[in-house]
């Protein structure tokens, strides 16, 4: 799969958020159309079919993204050594 350059990906994410704010405020057909275009482009460059999945994928592909353990299980406790007297 082709990967978008981080600068392009970052620009698309920023444009998406700016247009979503603009669409929320004005809601004009032009703003909606531009938002749909950017959402579609984000989906294409991230290989997803949903804009929310595309934004998540973009976040993990941008520089500085770190993975973290969000599991509900805590770290496994260290094994106790048995001492015999």
């Amino acid at each position: 799969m082709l990967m978008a350059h981080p600068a392009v990906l970052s620009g698309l994410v920023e444009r998406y958020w700016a247009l979503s704010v603009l669409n929320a405020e004005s809601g004009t057909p032009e703003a909606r159309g531009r938002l749909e275009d950017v959402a579609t482009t984000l989906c294409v460059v991230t290989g997803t079919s949903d804009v929310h999945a595309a934004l998540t994928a973009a976040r993990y592909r941008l520089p500085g993204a770190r993975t973290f353990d969000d599991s509900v299980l805590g770290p496994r406790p260290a094994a106790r050594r048995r001492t015999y007297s």
Side-chain angles (χ1 to χ4, degrees):
M1 175 171 79
L2 292 175
M3 300 290 280
H5 189 277
V8 172
L9 196 54
S10 176
L12 285 170
V13 171
E14 289 176 18
R15 192 174 315 142
Y16 176 82
W17 289 118
L19 287 170
S20 63
V21 168
L22 181 65
N23 190 36
E25 290 178 358
S26 67
T28 64
E30 179 187 357
R32 276 193 301 274
R34 289 170 52 198
L35 181 63
E36 289 174 13
D37 289 345
V38 172
T40 301
T41 304
L42 270 169
C43 289
V44 169
V45 300
T46 58
T48 59
S49 58
D50 174 62
V51 70
H52 298 292
L55 290 168
T56 301
R59 183 178 67 217
Y60 284 105
R61 291 182 188 163
L62 290 174
R66 294 189 177 143
T67 59
F68 59 93
D69 182 10
D70 61 350
S71 65
V72 294
L73 302 176
R76 201 153 106 173
R80 279 192 158 168
R81 293 185 96 191
R82 285 190 174 175
T83 55
Y84 298 98
S85 312

